[in-house]
Amino acid sequence: MNELFLELKQAIIDGDEEIVGELSQKVIDESINPVDAVQLGLIKGIEVVGELWKVGEVFLPDVMMSAEAMKVGLGLLEPEIAKLGLSQGEAKGKLVLGTVEGDIHDIGKNITGAMFTAAGYKVFDVGTDIKAKDFVLKAQEVGADIIGASALLTTTMSAQKEIVDYLIEHNLRDQFKVFIGGGPTSQAYADEIGADGWAESADEAVALADRMLAK
């Protein structure tokens, strides 16, 4: 089984959508835990690509190929993870998740959504390039506990603040926890804009939500 995860990891690094699809289907066919496949295969692979990109050993087209391959794997495995969550009883909480207005990056968002689903949360993914108002309207519609807003560009970080500002302006601030994430963000920035939480990784975001909603 570990061999399969290693193959998945390498296929992500290679940006090979076909192999990722075949291996992800094998996970399903052989009733292997899809959460493990995502964490130990897909995510490990994309982490390697991210590190290689930082040091200049791969370039943006390589990263995009790996991201597309990642989408293929998540597309197959996320429904299986959701089934696991449903079989384990009532959801721990509800999360509206999206990438902020002006930003179309979704790798981090997709990984985070998969991890929250695996942890037993009901995730409502609103997609990318989402206005502050639309995050809040969706959160109201589904009765969300948390609004999760991702930004990968420094130029779109201000849109995360707009969500907090919108909630304050409409007297809704105490109804939802606001989590932010993405490459240029930090705990200091989360504190600065009045967000409730920040996490560097999807696993940390889940752990933070667990702690916050248990209070």
Side-chain angles (χ1 to χ4, degrees):
M1 196 181 295
N2 287 341
E3 185 66 33
L4 178 57
F5 298 154
L6 287 173
E7 289 176 17
L8 259 177
K9 174 183 172 182
Q10 190 58 51
I12 291 292
I13 294 169
D14 294 339
D16 193 324
E17 293 181 38
E18 185 177 349
I19 296 297
V20 169
E22 289 174 2
L23 293 172
S24 298
Q25 188 59 50
K26 188 174 181 182
V27 168
I28 297 166
D29 293 343
E30 297 185 8
S31 299
I32 294 167
N33 189 325
V35 177
D36 290 342
V38 170
Q39 291 182 322
L40 303 177
L42 302 183
I43 290 178
K44 292 293 184 186
I46 209 72
E47 284 175 349
V48 170
V49 174
E51 289 302 316
L52 291 173
W53 185 57
K54 282 181 188 174
V55 298
E57 290 188 26
V58 300
F59 303 99
L60 195 54
D62 305 304
V63 176
M64 296 309 294
M65 283 174 60
S66 293
E68 289 303 315
M70 179 100 183
K71 283 185 187 177
V72 171
L74 287 174
L76 288 165
L77 295 174
E78 277 188 320
E80 301 302 312
I81 291 172
K83 289 177 192 174
L84 283 181
L86 290 172
S87 69
Q88 290 166 1
E90 192 175 339
K92 284 186 189 176
K94 295 177 183 178
L95 170 74
V96 168
L97 184 65
T99 304
V100 296
E101 186 175 12
D103 201 327
I104 59 169
H105 295 89
D106 64 359
I107 301 174
K109 171 182 70 65
N110 292 347
I111 293 171
T112 301
M115 290 301 97
F116 267 94
T117 300
Y121 287 81
K122 178 67 174 171
V123 177
F124 299 87
D125 189 334
V126 290
T128 62
D129 191 19
I130 304 300
K131 297 179 188 298
K133 176 183 178 181
D134 293 328
F135 273 101
V136 176
L137 288 176
K138 186 65 177 181
Q140 289 178 299
E141 177 194 326
V142 302
D145 302 289
I146 299 169
I147 295 172
S150 174
L152 198 73
L153 304 172
T154 53
T155 52
T156 59
M157 289 168 63
S158 60
Q160 294 174 317
K161 181 177 184 297
E162 288 172 14
I163 295 170
V164 178
D165 291 345
Y166 185 94
L167 289 169
I168 293 170
E169 184 184 337
H170 292 82
N171 298 314
L172 299 168
R173 185 63 189 91
D174 61 346
Q175 291 191 22
F176 310 104
K177 302 294 185 186
V178 178
F179 283 16
I180 67 166
T185 63
S186 65
Q187 183 62 58
Y189 181 65
D191 294 341
E192 179 187 323
I193 67 172
D196 298 290
W198 171 83
E200 192 167 8
S201 69
D203 285 347
E204 289 172 12
V206 171
L208 180 62
D210 286 347
R211 292 195 299 274
M212 206 166 277
L213 295 186
K215 291 179 180 178

